Amino acid sequence: MSTPATKGIVEPAPAAAAPKARWRWRDSDILASFLSSKVTVLSAIVSVLLIGGSLLAPLVAPTNPFDPATVDLMDSLMPPRWVEGGDPRFLLGTDNQGRDLYSAILYGMRVSLIIGLAGVAIAAVLGIGLGLFAGWVGGRVDAFVMRVADVQLTFPAILIALLIDGVVHGIVGNAQRENTAFAVLILSIGLSFWVQYARTVRGSTMVEKNKDYVQAARLIGIPAPLILLKHVLPNVIGPVLVILTINIALAVITEATLSFLGVGLPPTQPSLGTLIRIGNDFLFSGEWWIVAFPGLTLAAFVLAVNLVGDWLRDALNPKLR
Amino acid sequence: MTFRKTILAVAAAVALFAVPASAKTFRFAFQGDYKSLDPYTLNETFTLAMHGAAYEGLTKRGPKLEIIPGLAERWEIVEPTRWRFFLRKGVKFHNGEDFVADDVVFSADRVRATGSNMTTRIPSDAKFVKVDDHTVDVILTKPNPILHYEWDTWYIMSKKWAEANNAVAPTPPSATTPGYAAINANGTGPFKLDSHQAGVKTVWKPNAAWWGKPEHNLTEVIFTPIASDATRVAALLSGEIDWMEPVPVQDIARVNASPNASVMTGPELRTIFLGFDQRNAELKYSNVKGKNPFKDVRVRKAFYQSIDVNAIKDRVMRGLATPSALMISPLLFSRSGEFQRFPYDVEAAKKLLAEAGYPNGFEVGMDCPNDRYVADEAICQAVVGMLARSGIKVNLNAQPKAQYFAKVLAPKFDTSFYLLGWTPGSFDSWNILQNMYGCRTDEGKGRGESNLGGYCNPEVDALADQVLAENDAKKRDELIFKAYDIAQNKEVGYIPLHQQALAWGVSKKVKVVQRADNQFLFYWANKE
C-alpha cells in the first residue's frame, strides 16, 4: 500500500517543476520553427514595420492629415514623387483634398489598427467570458448562449457589424458621426466577432472541467471564478491565440469594408477603408495612386498577419509537431 | 441605405455580360435615389423631373424652358387679380378617372398644406374657384404677373384617388413611414408607373391613353440609383445604362473618349452655396453656448473670405464651375456683373473673427449631401480645410440626400451650417428673394420655405413684393439689384460658391433633350 501512496506524493513534484522546463523547451522549438520559415520571417517583418510605422505615425509622417488646416487644396491630386508631375514633398502623391497620401496611409493604418485591436479585444473578452461561463455552468445557460451564437453564425460578421452600426447611429444620430464613429466601429466589430471565441473556449472548457486537476481544485474549495481564471483559462488559451491573430487581420478588413461602404469613419478622419473609398472614384480616371497605395498597404498587412497566424497555428499544434 | 446602393452599384458594374435589353428599354441612373413619389414631398430638380413622367402640371416647359400648355389648354388674365384657366378635355388619370376642375382645386389646397415642401408654388392667399368642370378661376389679392412660372412642376393629382387612399395630406420630406401617395403614382402623364422600390429601382411604361402625341419611342424606362462615381461611369461605358448624371468631373475626358457614350455639357442655372443658421438664439451644433455667432455679420463675412472659391473651381470641379457672387445664375439676372465676390483673404477673415469676439475661432457642425450635386462632399471637405485655416473647426456630417433633406428642410430646419444648391423654378430673381431671403416662420410655410438658416430683413421682403408686382423690366431689375445689394453685399446672407456645369453621360444609342435647369425628362428620349 505504501507504493501508490509514495507515487501519489512523488508525482506532483515533477508536475510542478515541469511547466518551467517545458516552456523553455517549447520556446526554443518555436524560435527554431519560426526562423526556419522564410515566409513567416518576412511576414513578421512586414507586420512589425506596418504596425510600428502606424503606431509611430505622428513621429514618422511628414504631415498630419487629420488637421485640415495643414492641407492645401491646391496640392490635390499630385502623382507620386517618381511619376512625372510629382512633387518632392509628397512621396506617394496626394488625394483629392491635397492630403499627403503617405501620411494619410500611416495615420489611416493607425486608425484601422486601433479599431481592429480594440474590436478584437472586446470580442475576445466577451467570447472567452461567455465561453468559460457556458462551458462551466452547462445546461440551459449553455444551451442559451450557444443558440445565440448559432443564430449569429448564420449571418456574416459584416452584416452584424452593419446592423449594429445602423442601430447605434439611429439612436445617437448621424450628426455625432465624427465623435462616435470610432466607438461604434469598435463595438460593431467586437459584437460581431465574439462567437468564434465563445465556441472554442466553451468546447475546451467542457473537456477541461471534468479533468482531475479541476475536480481537485473544486474539492479543496476554490471558488469557481478563480478556478476558471487560474486553471481552466490557461489550458484553453492556445487555440484562442491563433484565432486572435487571424481575427486582427479580419477586423482590420471589416473596418475597411465598413468604411468603404460609407458607414465607417468619415473622410475627415480617414482610415484605410475610407482612403480606398475615396480613391475608388478616381481609379479609372488616371489618378490610380489614391486607391492603389492604401489598397496595397491593406493587402500587405492582412496577408502578413495571416501568414504569421498560420504559422502560429501550426507551431502551437502538437499534432503537427 | 448606402450599403444597399453599393451592392446595387456593384451588381450593375459586374453585369457586363448581361443580355442587351430589348431595343426600346431605356435605362438610366443618377447618383441619388428617387424616394417619395408624392409630387409635393421634395422641391428638388431631379425628383421633380422624375415626377414629370407620370404627373403633369397645368403648364409645361419646353426644351428651351418656354412655357407651353399642359393640362390647361390655354389661360387668360381676366383682370390683374383674376386668372382663368381652361382645362384640357378628355384627359384621364392613369386609373381611368376623368381629369376635372375639382382636381385642380384639390391640388392647389394640397400643395399648400402642412407637410408640402412646395408651398411657394401658389401664393398662400390665392383662391381657386371652379367655374365649370373644365374652367378654373384663380383669384389673387394682388397682381402677380409670374403666377404660373413654376406651375410646370406643380403637378395635378386626382382628388378622388387621394381621398379614397387616405392621401389628402402631403407626405413631408422627414416622414419615416411613406403614405400611399409616396409609393404610388396616379397622374395624367405620358408614362405610367409600373413599379417603385425606393433606393433600388423604378420602372415606367408608356401611357397608351395619354392625351398628347408621344415624342419618345420607348417601351419601358428603368431607373436605378448608382451612388459610386466609378461604378456609374462603368455602367454607362459598358452600355448597361443609356443615361446618367452627373458624370464625375474627373471622368469627363474618359467618357468622351469612349466609343459608346459622350458627355453633354452646358451651363447650369443652379447655384451651389453655403448657408448659416441666423435665426436661432443659440447654434444647435457648436461649442459656442448662449449666443449665435452667425447673427454677427462679421462672422458670416469671415467665413465668406476664408473660402477660396477658385481653388474649389480648379481642383474639385476641374474648371467646370463658374464662381458666383450672387445666389442666381448670371444667365437669369442681367445686372449680375455689377456684383463682386468678397476676396479670399484669410488674414482679413481672422481679423473679422477677432473683432467679433472669436480670436481663437469656434466649432460648428456642417451638413452636406453626398449624392446630390457635382462633387458635393468634396466641396464640403475643402470648405472644412479652408475654414480650419481661419481657426474654425468644422465637424462635417455628409450623408445621402434622403437623410440630408429630411434633416435640413422644413419643418425641422435642423442645421447650423450647410451646403445646398438652388435653381429658381421660375427662372427669375423673385423666386430667390421669396424662397432664399424671405423671412420665414418656425415651420417655414410659404415665404422663406427654403431659407433654412432663416435670414430675415423686412426691407428685402418689401422689395420682393415690389418686384412681384412690377412689370417694367428696368425698374424691376433695379429693385432686384437693391435687394441683392442689401442681402449679399451688406448682410452676407449666404456664401454663394458657384454655378456647376451640367454633365450628362449619354449613350450614343439615345437622343435626349438637355435643359439648362438640369431636369431630365425622358419623355423626350429616343433610342435606336
Side-chain angles (χ1 to χ4, degrees), chain A residues 68-69 71-74 76-77 97 99 162 174-175 178 261 267 280-282 284-285 287, chain B residues 2-3 229-230 250-251 254 311 315 318 377-378 381-382 386 388-389 395-397 399:
Chain A
V71 178
D72 189 344
L73 191 60
M74 294 315 285
S76 66
L77 301 170
Q97 293 290 329
R99 273 189 296 240
L162 270 173
N174 223 5
E178 288 211 348
L261 295 178
N280 189 43
D281 284 342
F282 299 92
F284 298 113
S285 2
E287 284 102 7
Chain B
T2 317
F3 178 67
D229 282 349
Q250 66 268 21
D251 287 316
R254 190 162 64 96
R315 292 293 161 158
R318 303 198 192 204
E377 191 177 9
Q381 277 187 57
M386 289 165 179
R389 290 168 178 236
N395 299 312
L396 180 61
N397 177 19
Q399 40 185 350

mmCIF file of all heavy atoms in Angstrom, chain A residues 68-69 71-74 76-77 97 99 162 174-175 178 261 267 280-282 284-285 287, chain B residues 2-3 229-230 250-251 254 311 315 318 377-378 381-382 386 388-389 395-397 399:
data_model
loop_
_atom_site.group_PDB
_atom_site.id
_atom_site.type_symbol
_atom_site.label_atom_id
_atom_site.label_comp_id
_atom_site.label_asym_id
_atom_site.label_seq_id
_atom_site.Cartn_x
_atom_site.Cartn_y
_atom_site.Cartn_z
ATOM 1 N N PRO A 68 -7.116 69.614 -40.740
ATOM 2 C CA PRO A 68 -7.472 70.183 -42.041
ATOM 3 C C PRO A 68 -6.716 71.474 -42.347
ATOM 4 O O PRO A 68 -6.576 71.851 -43.495
ATOM 5 C CB PRO A 68 -8.980 70.430 -41.933
ATOM 6 C CG PRO A 68 -9.364 70.196 -40.526
ATOM 7 C CD PRO A 68 -8.254 69.487 -39.826
ATOM 8 N N ALA A 69 -6.228 72.151 -41.295
ATOM 9 C CA ALA A 69 -5.564 73.432 -41.552
ATOM 10 C C ALA A 69 -4.240 73.258 -42.281
ATOM 11 O O ALA A 69 -3.746 74.190 -42.900
ATOM 12 C CB ALA A 69 -5.342 74.175 -40.233
ATOM 13 N N VAL A 71 -3.733 71.142 -44.708
ATOM 14 C CA VAL A 71 -3.947 70.606 -46.053
ATOM 15 C C VAL A 71 -4.277 71.745 -47.005
ATOM 16 O O VAL A 71 -5.079 72.607 -46.691
ATOM 17 C CB VAL A 71 -5.097 69.586 -46.030
ATOM 18 C CG1 VAL A 71 -5.360 69.070 -47.420
ATOM 19 C CG2 VAL A 71 -4.766 68.453 -45.081
ATOM 20 N N ASP A 72 -3.622 71.749 -48.157
ATOM 21 C CA ASP A 72 -3.899 72.798 -49.134
ATOM 22 C C ASP A 72 -4.544 72.178 -50.365
ATOM 23 O O ASP A 72 -3.974 71.293 -50.996
ATOM 24 C CB ASP A 72 -2.593 73.502 -49.516
ATOM 25 C CG ASP A 72 -2.872 74.738 -50.367
ATOM 26 O OD1 ASP A 72 -4.009 74.853 -50.883
ATOM 27 O OD2 ASP A 72 -1.972 75.564 -50.506
ATOM 28 N N LEU A 73 -5.733 72.657 -50.668
ATOM 29 C CA LEU A 73 -6.476 72.116 -51.802
ATOM 30 C C LEU A 73 -5.691 72.239 -53.107
ATOM 31 O O LEU A 73 -5.839 71.430 -54.018
ATOM 32 C CB LEU A 73 -7.811 72.848 -51.921
ATOM 33 C CG LEU A 73 -8.839 72.251 -52.869
ATOM 34 C CD1 LEU A 73 -9.204 70.844 -52.466
ATOM 35 C CD2 LEU A 73 -10.086 73.105 -52.907
ATOM 36 N N MET A 74 -4.825 73.266 -53.176
ATOM 37 C CA MET A 74 -4.069 73.455 -54.407
ATOM 38 C C MET A 74 -3.049 72.331 -54.633
ATOM 39 O O MET A 74 -2.511 72.188 -55.715
ATOM 40 C CB MET A 74 -3.348 74.810 -54.406
ATOM 41 C CG MET A 74 -4.294 76.010 -54.426
ATOM 42 S SD MET A 74 -5.669 75.880 -55.597
ATOM 43 C CE MET A 74 -4.829 76.175 -57.152
ATOM 44 N N SER A 76 -3.856 69.223 -54.438
ATOM 45 C CA SER A 76 -4.605 67.978 -54.617
ATOM 46 C C SER A 76 -4.215 67.231 -55.890
ATOM 47 O O SER A 76 -3.742 67.830 -56.851
ATOM 48 C CB SER A 76 -6.099 68.286 -54.645
ATOM 49 O OG SER A 76 -6.393 69.046 -55.778
ATOM 50 N N LEU A 77 -4.419 65.925 -55.847
ATOM 51 C CA LEU A 77 -4.252 65.034 -56.998
ATOM 52 C C LEU A 77 -2.859 65.051 -57.608
ATOM 53 O O LEU A 77 -2.687 64.941 -58.812
ATOM 54 C CB LEU A 77 -5.304 65.367 -58.079
ATOM 55 C CG LEU A 77 -6.745 65.240 -57.605
ATOM 56 C CD1 LEU A 77 -7.696 65.797 -58.628
ATOM 57 C CD2 LEU A 77 -7.081 63.782 -57.337
ATOM 58 N N GLN A 97 -8.114 65.971 -51.796
ATOM 59 C CA GLN A 97 -8.165 67.155 -50.942
ATOM 60 C C GLN A 97 -6.777 67.745 -50.724
ATOM 61 O O GLN A 97 -6.619 68.707 -49.986
ATOM 62 C CB GLN A 97 -8.784 66.801 -49.584
ATOM 63 C CG GLN A 97 -10.243 66.430 -49.665
ATOM 64 C CD GLN A 97 -11.107 67.633 -49.984
ATOM 65 O OE1 GLN A 97 -10.802 68.753 -49.630
ATOM 66 N NE2 GLN A 97 -12.213 67.404 -50.682
ATOM 67 N N ARG A 99 -4.235 65.968 -49.382
ATOM 68 C CA ARG A 99 -3.568 65.298 -48.262
ATOM 69 C C ARG A 99 -2.411 64.460 -48.785
ATOM 70 O O ARG A 99 -2.554 63.797 -49.810
ATOM 71 C CB ARG A 99 -4.549 64.361 -47.556
ATOM 72 C CG ARG A 99 -5.349 65.014 -46.495
ATOM 73 C CD ARG A 99 -6.121 63.985 -45.705
ATOM 74 N NE ARG A 99 -7.102 63.296 -46.524
ATOM 75 C CZ ARG A 99 -8.416 63.319 -46.274
ATOM 76 N NH1 ARG A 99 -8.866 63.965 -45.245
ATOM 77 N NH2 ARG A 99 -9.254 62.674 -47.040
ATOM 78 N N LEU A 162 -22.811 45.898 -39.716
ATOM 79 C CA LEU A 162 -23.643 46.926 -40.355
ATOM 80 C C LEU A 162 -24.888 47.209 -39.534
ATOM 81 O O LEU A 162 -25.302 48.348 -39.362
ATOM 82 C CB LEU A 162 -24.067 46.456 -41.747
ATOM 83 C CG LEU A 162 -23.155 46.813 -42.902
ATOM 84 C CD1 LEU A 162 -23.627 46.139 -44.170
ATOM 85 C CD2 LEU A 162 -23.124 48.311 -43.095
ATOM 86 N N ASN A 174 -26.881 60.945 -36.686
ATOM 87 C CA ASN A 174 -25.749 60.999 -37.594
ATOM 88 C C ASN A 174 -24.864 62.212 -37.338
ATOM 89 O O ASN A 174 -23.707 62.245 -37.728
ATOM 90 C CB ASN A 174 -26.282 61.039 -39.024
ATOM 91 C CG ASN A 174 -25.500 60.121 -39.924
ATOM 92 O OD1 ASN A 174 -24.636 59.394 -39.458
ATOM 93 N ND2 ASN A 174 -25.789 60.171 -41.186
ATOM 94 N N ALA A 175 -25.416 63.218 -36.666
ATOM 95 C CA ALA A 175 -24.670 64.462 -36.508
ATOM 96 C C ALA A 175 -23.436 64.241 -35.648
ATOM 97 O O ALA A 175 -22.433 64.914 -35.783
ATOM 98 C CB ALA A 175 -25.564 65.519 -35.877
ATOM 99 N N GLU A 178 -18.736 62.158 -36.374
ATOM 100 C CA GLU A 178 -17.293 62.310 -36.223
ATOM 101 C C GLU A 178 -16.815 61.867 -34.844
ATOM 102 O O GLU A 178 -15.720 61.360 -34.705
ATOM 103 C CB GLU A 178 -16.887 63.763 -36.448
ATOM 104 C CG GLU A 178 -16.991 64.171 -37.889
ATOM 105 C CD GLU A 178 -15.968 65.235 -38.264
ATOM 106 O OE1 GLU A 178 -15.351 65.804 -37.356
ATOM 107 O OE2 GLU A 178 -15.806 65.484 -39.455
ATOM 108 N N LEU A 261 -17.903 51.151 -47.423
ATOM 109 C CA LEU A 261 -19.331 51.254 -47.703
ATOM 110 C C LEU A 261 -19.910 52.572 -47.219
ATOM 111 O O LEU A 261 -21.075 52.861 -47.438
ATOM 112 C CB LEU A 261 -20.083 50.101 -47.044
ATOM 113 C CG LEU A 261 -19.734 48.728 -47.598
ATOM 114 C CD1 LEU A 261 -20.485 47.658 -46.853
ATOM 115 C CD2 LEU A 261 -20.050 48.659 -49.075
ATOM 116 N N PRO A 267 -14.670 60.958 -44.020
ATOM 117 C CA PRO A 267 -13.473 61.270 -44.811
ATOM 118 C C PRO A 267 -12.536 62.250 -44.117
ATOM 119 O O PRO A 267 -11.379 62.371 -44.507
ATOM 120 C CB PRO A 267 -14.022 61.886 -46.097
ATOM 121 C CG PRO A 267 -15.481 61.870 -46.010
ATOM 122 C CD PRO A 267 -15.909 61.332 -44.701
ATOM 123 N N ASN A 280 -11.401 55.054 -54.902
ATOM 124 C CA ASN A 280 -12.156 54.248 -55.852
ATOM 125 C C ASN A 280 -12.797 55.098 -56.944
ATOM 126 O O ASN A 280 -12.889 54.691 -58.091
ATOM 127 C CB ASN A 280 -13.225 53.459 -55.090
ATOM 128 C CG ASN A 280 -13.901 52.445 -55.954
ATOM 129 O OD1 ASN A 280 -13.242 51.751 -56.724
ATOM 130 N ND2 ASN A 280 -15.210 52.362 -55.862
ATOM 131 N N ASP A 281 -13.229 56.317 -56.546
ATOM 132 C CA ASP A 281 -13.862 57.193 -57.526
ATOM 133 C C ASP A 281 -12.884 57.669 -58.585
ATOM 134 O O ASP A 281 -13.288 58.141 -59.638
ATOM 135 C CB ASP A 281 -14.468 58.406 -56.817
ATOM 136 C CG ASP A 281 -15.761 58.046 -56.114
ATOM 137 O OD1 ASP A 281 -16.326 57.003 -56.458
ATOM 138 O OD2 ASP A 281 -16.186 58.807 -55.229
ATOM 139 N N PHE A 282 -11.591 57.597 -58.285
ATOM 140 C CA PHE A 282 -10.606 58.117 -59.224
ATOM 141 C C PHE A 282 -9.847 56.989 -59.918
ATOM 142 O O PHE A 282 -8.945 57.228 -60.689
ATOM 143 C CB PHE A 282 -9.611 59.020 -58.488
ATOM 144 C CG PHE A 282 -10.278 60.206 -57.854
ATOM 145 C CD1 PHE A 282 -10.721 60.155 -56.547
ATOM 146 C CD2 PHE A 282 -10.494 61.365 -58.583
ATOM 147 C CE1 PHE A 282 -11.360 61.241 -55.973
ATOM 148 C CE2 PHE A 282 -11.127 62.453 -58.012
ATOM 149 C CZ PHE A 282 -11.557 62.397 -56.709
ATOM 150 N N PHE A 284 -10.429 54.888 -62.297
ATOM 151 C CA PHE A 284 -10.402 54.794 -63.750
ATOM 152 C C PHE A 284 -10.092 56.119 -64.424
ATOM 153 O O PHE A 284 -10.076 56.221 -65.624
ATOM 154 C CB PHE A 284 -11.744 54.270 -64.265
ATOM 155 C CG PHE A 284 -12.065 52.906 -63.768
ATOM 156 C CD1 PHE A 284 -13.119 52.703 -62.889
ATOM 157 C CD2 PHE A 284 -11.297 51.819 -64.159
ATOM 158 C CE1 PHE A 284 -13.408 51.439 -62.425
ATOM 159 C CE2 PHE A 284 -11.596 50.553 -63.681
ATOM 160 C CZ PHE A 284 -12.648 50.364 -62.813
ATOM 161 N N SER A 285 -9.893 57.147 -63.618
ATOM 162 C CA SER A 285 -9.714 58.451 -64.250
ATOM 163 C C SER A 285 -8.261 58.871 -64.291
ATOM 164 O O SER A 285 -7.964 60.030 -64.508
ATOM 165 C CB SER A 285 -10.545 59.511 -63.540
ATOM 166 O OG SER A 285 -11.229 58.992 -62.459
ATOM 167 N N GLU A 287 -6.010 58.795 -61.814
ATOM 168 C CA GLU A 287 -5.372 59.038 -60.518
ATOM 169 C C GLU A 287 -5.359 57.738 -59.716
ATOM 170 O O GLU A 287 -6.011 57.615 -58.696
ATOM 171 C CB GLU A 287 -6.109 60.149 -59.749
ATOM 172 C CG GLU A 287 -5.824 61.535 -60.273
ATOM 173 C CD GLU A 287 -6.950 62.079 -61.134
ATOM 174 O OE1 GLU A 287 -8.004 61.426 -61.200
ATOM 175 O OE2 GLU A 287 -6.770 63.138 -61.759
ATOM 176 N N THR B 2 -26.768 53.136 -47.831
ATOM 177 C CA THR B 2 -25.562 53.224 -48.650
ATOM 178 C C THR B 2 -25.111 51.840 -49.058
ATOM 179 O O THR B 2 -24.695 51.616 -50.178
ATOM 180 C CB THR B 2 -24.448 53.901 -47.850
ATOM 181 O OG1 THR B 2 -25.029 54.992 -47.170
ATOM 182 C CG2 THR B 2 -23.353 54.389 -48.751
ATOM 183 N N PHE B 3 -25.243 50.922 -48.121
ATOM 184 C CA PHE B 3 -24.793 49.565 -48.377
ATOM 185 C C PHE B 3 -25.586 48.962 -49.521
ATOM 186 O O PHE B 3 -25.044 48.421 -50.468
ATOM 187 C CB PHE B 3 -24.956 48.727 -47.100
ATOM 188 C CG PHE B 3 -24.565 47.282 -47.285
ATOM 189 C CD1 PHE B 3 -23.249 46.944 -47.519
ATOM 190 C CD2 PHE B 3 -25.512 46.275 -47.228
ATOM 191 C CE1 PHE B 3 -22.888 45.621 -47.681
ATOM 192 C CE2 PHE B 3 -25.161 44.949 -47.400
ATOM 193 C CZ PHE B 3 -23.843 44.631 -47.619
ATOM 194 N N ASP B 229 -19.336 56.947 -58.020
ATOM 195 C CA ASP B 229 -18.963 57.618 -59.266
ATOM 196 C C ASP B 229 -18.378 56.632 -60.271
ATOM 197 O O ASP B 229 -18.776 56.594 -61.438
ATOM 198 C CB ASP B 229 -17.924 58.708 -58.980
ATOM 199 C CG ASP B 229 -18.554 59.966 -58.404
ATOM 200 O OD1 ASP B 229 -19.800 60.053 -58.424
ATOM 201 O OD2 ASP B 229 -17.814 60.844 -57.940
ATOM 202 N N ALA B 230 -17.413 55.844 -59.807
ATOM 203 C CA ALA B 230 -16.693 54.954 -60.708
ATOM 204 C C ALA B 230 -17.644 53.919 -61.314
ATOM 205 O O ALA B 230 -17.576 53.597 -62.509
ATOM 206 C CB ALA B 230 -15.553 54.266 -59.975
ATOM 207 N N GLN B 250 -13.794 64.143 -62.944
ATOM 208 C CA GLN B 250 -12.525 63.514 -63.311
ATOM 209 C C GLN B 250 -12.678 62.523 -64.463
ATOM 210 O O GLN B 250 -11.698 62.051 -65.004
ATOM 211 C CB GLN B 250 -11.894 62.816 -62.088
ATOM 212 C CG GLN B 250 -12.666 61.627 -61.552
ATOM 213 C CD GLN B 250 -13.645 62.017 -60.446
ATOM 214 O OE1 GLN B 250 -14.021 63.173 -60.335
ATOM 215 N NE2 GLN B 250 -14.054 61.064 -59.629
ATOM 216 N N ASP B 251 -13.929 62.183 -64.821
ATOM 217 C CA ASP B 251 -14.133 61.152 -65.836
ATOM 218 C C ASP B 251 -14.647 61.688 -67.162
ATOM 219 O O ASP B 251 -14.931 60.908 -68.081
ATOM 220 C CB ASP B 251 -15.116 60.095 -65.309
ATOM 221 C CG ASP B 251 -14.474 59.214 -64.256
ATOM 222 O OD1 ASP B 251 -13.334 58.799 -64.480
ATOM 223 O OD2 ASP B 251 -15.102 58.963 -63.221
ATOM 224 N N ARG B 254 -12.576 60.718 -70.173
ATOM 225 C CA ARG B 254 -12.616 59.286 -70.446
ATOM 226 C C ARG B 254 -13.930 58.884 -71.110
ATOM 227 O O ARG B 254 -13.955 58.066 -72.036
ATOM 228 C CB ARG B 254 -12.432 58.515 -69.136
ATOM 229 C CG ARG B 254 -12.228 57.040 -69.313
ATOM 230 C CD ARG B 254 -11.625 56.458 -68.069
ATOM 231 N NE ARG B 254 -12.512 56.573 -66.924
ATOM 232 C CZ ARG B 254 -13.329 55.606 -66.518
ATOM 233 N NH1 ARG B 254 -13.351 54.466 -67.160
ATOM 234 N NH2 ARG B 254 -14.106 55.778 -65.487
ATOM 235 N N ALA B 311 -9.937 77.875 -55.854
ATOM 236 C CA ALA B 311 -9.308 76.572 -55.617
ATOM 237 C C ALA B 311 -10.351 75.471 -55.775
ATOM 238 O O ALA B 311 -10.078 74.409 -56.346
ATOM 239 C CB ALA B 311 -8.693 76.533 -54.223
ATOM 240 N N ARG B 315 -9.621 72.763 -58.543
ATOM 241 C CA ARG B 315 -9.190 71.462 -58.048
ATOM 242 C C ARG B 315 -10.337 70.477 -57.893
ATOM 243 O O ARG B 315 -10.231 69.331 -58.301
ATOM 244 C CB ARG B 315 -8.469 71.642 -56.707
ATOM 245 C CG ARG B 315 -7.164 72.352 -56.867
ATOM 246 C CD ARG B 315 -6.221 71.461 -57.648
ATOM 247 N NE ARG B 315 -5.127 72.195 -58.226
ATOM 248 C CZ ARG B 315 -3.977 71.620 -58.587
ATOM 249 N NH1 ARG B 315 -3.805 70.336 -58.395
ATOM 250 N NH2 ARG B 315 -3.036 72.329 -59.128
ATOM 251 N N ARG B 318 -12.513 70.880 -61.331
ATOM 252 C CA ARG B 318 -11.668 70.805 -62.526
ATOM 253 C C ARG B 318 -12.112 71.778 -63.600
ATOM 254 O O ARG B 318 -12.241 71.451 -64.777
ATOM 255 C CB ARG B 318 -11.638 69.375 -63.072
ATOM 256 C CG ARG B 318 -11.160 68.435 -62.003
ATOM 257 C CD ARG B 318 -10.691 67.128 -62.562
ATOM 258 N NE ARG B 318 -10.537 66.197 -61.444
ATOM 259 C CZ ARG B 318 -9.761 65.157 -61.447
ATOM 260 N NH1 ARG B 318 -9.052 64.868 -62.492
ATOM 261 N NH2 ARG B 318 -9.671 64.373 -60.392
ATOM 262 N N GLU B 377 -19.654 66.360 -51.648
ATOM 263 C CA GLU B 377 -18.924 66.047 -50.420
ATOM 264 C C GLU B 377 -17.490 66.574 -50.483
ATOM 265 O O GLU B 377 -16.946 67.061 -49.493
ATOM 266 C CB GLU B 377 -18.912 64.527 -50.173
ATOM 267 C CG GLU B 377 -18.409 64.188 -48.785
ATOM 268 C CD GLU B 377 -18.453 62.688 -48.509
ATOM 269 O OE1 GLU B 377 -18.705 61.914 -49.439
ATOM 270 O OE2 GLU B 377 -18.215 62.313 -47.352
ATOM 271 N N ALA B 378 -16.895 66.506 -51.682
ATOM 272 C CA ALA B 378 -15.526 67.004 -51.826
ATOM 273 C C ALA B 378 -15.482 68.513 -51.603
ATOM 274 O O ALA B 378 -14.530 69.035 -51.016
ATOM 275 C CB ALA B 378 -14.978 66.644 -53.207
ATOM 276 N N GLN B 381 -15.637 69.032 -47.878
ATOM 277 C CA GLN B 381 -14.346 68.742 -47.250
ATOM 278 C C GLN B 381 -13.358 69.863 -47.476
ATOM 279 O O GLN B 381 -12.606 70.240 -46.582
ATOM 280 C CB GLN B 381 -13.762 67.472 -47.852
ATOM 281 C CG GLN B 381 -14.293 66.210 -47.248
ATOM 282 C CD GLN B 381 -13.509 65.037 -47.803
ATOM 283 O OE1 GLN B 381 -12.304 64.978 -47.685
ATOM 284 N NE2 GLN B 381 -14.199 64.117 -48.429
ATOM 285 N N ALA B 382 -13.374 70.421 -48.691
ATOM 286 C CA ALA B 382 -12.467 71.525 -48.989
ATOM 287 C C ALA B 382 -12.806 72.720 -48.103
ATOM 288 O O ALA B 382 -11.917 73.397 -47.584
ATOM 289 C CB ALA B 382 -12.569 71.894 -50.466
ATOM 290 N N MET B 386 -10.442 74.821 -45.522
ATOM 291 C CA MET B 386 -10.209 76.259 -45.654
ATOM 292 C C MET B 386 -10.597 77.006 -44.381
ATOM 293 O O MET B 386 -9.896 77.920 -43.950
ATOM 294 C CB MET B 386 -11.007 76.802 -46.840
ATOM 295 C CG MET B 386 -10.440 76.334 -48.162
ATOM 296 S SD MET B 386 -11.600 76.596 -49.495
ATOM 297 C CE MET B 386 -10.640 75.988 -50.874
ATOM 298 N N ALA B 388 -10.543 75.789 -41.453
ATOM 299 C CA ALA B 388 -9.597 75.435 -40.395
ATOM 300 C C ALA B 388 -8.452 76.441 -40.341
ATOM 301 O O ALA B 388 -7.925 76.749 -39.277
ATOM 302 C CB ALA B 388 -9.052 74.032 -40.629
ATOM 303 N N ARG B 389 -8.100 76.992 -41.507
ATOM 304 C CA ARG B 389 -7.007 77.973 -41.524
ATOM 305 C C ARG B 389 -7.378 79.271 -40.845
ATOM 306 O O ARG B 389 -6.513 80.042 -40.448
ATOM 307 C CB ARG B 389 -6.610 78.270 -42.963
ATOM 308 C CG ARG B 389 -5.934 77.079 -43.570
ATOM 309 C CD ARG B 389 -5.793 77.222 -45.038
ATOM 310 N NE ARG B 389 -5.096 76.035 -45.512
ATOM 311 C CZ ARG B 389 -3.978 76.078 -46.204
ATOM 312 N NH1 ARG B 389 -3.443 77.238 -46.505
ATOM 313 N NH2 ARG B 389 -3.409 74.962 -46.580
ATOM 314 N N ASN B 395 -17.208 70.340 -37.981
ATOM 315 C CA ASN B 395 -17.490 68.906 -37.909
ATOM 316 C C ASN B 395 -18.447 68.575 -39.037
ATOM 317 O O ASN B 395 -19.604 68.975 -39.027
ATOM 318 C CB ASN B 395 -18.117 68.546 -36.565
ATOM 319 C CG ASN B 395 -17.189 68.876 -35.424
ATOM 320 O OD1 ASN B 395 -16.008 68.534 -35.447
ATOM 321 N ND2 ASN B 395 -17.700 69.602 -34.433
ATOM 322 N N LEU B 396 -17.941 67.847 -40.018
ATOM 323 C CA LEU B 396 -18.713 67.605 -41.232
ATOM 324 C C LEU B 396 -19.626 66.397 -41.083
ATOM 325 O O LEU B 396 -19.205 65.345 -40.631
ATOM 326 C CB LEU B 396 -17.732 67.392 -42.395
ATOM 327 C CG LEU B 396 -18.343 67.123 -43.764
ATOM 328 C CD1 LEU B 396 -19.193 68.301 -44.198
ATOM 329 C CD2 LEU B 396 -17.248 66.875 -44.775
ATOM 330 N N ASN B 397 -20.874 66.584 -41.446
ATOM 331 C CA ASN B 397 -21.824 65.477 -41.455
ATOM 332 C C ASN B 397 -22.371 65.335 -42.876
ATOM 333 O O ASN B 397 -23.335 65.969 -43.239
ATOM 334 C CB ASN B 397 -22.959 65.764 -40.459
ATOM 335 C CG ASN B 397 -24.020 64.687 -40.469
ATOM 336 O OD1 ASN B 397 -23.785 63.574 -40.928
ATOM 337 N ND2 ASN B 397 -25.203 65.018 -39.974
ATOM 338 N N GLN B 399 -24.117 63.165 -45.735
ATOM 339 C CA GLN B 399 -24.967 61.977 -45.844
ATOM 340 C C GLN B 399 -25.787 62.001 -47.135
ATOM 341 O O GLN B 399 -25.897 63.037 -47.778
ATOM 342 C CB GLN B 399 -25.864 61.846 -44.612
ATOM 343 C CG GLN B 399 -26.443 63.143 -44.110
ATOM 344 C CD GLN B 399 -27.231 62.954 -42.825
ATOM 345 O OE1 GLN B 399 -27.501 61.850 -42.396
ATOM 346 N NE2 GLN B 399 -27.635 64.038 -42.213
#
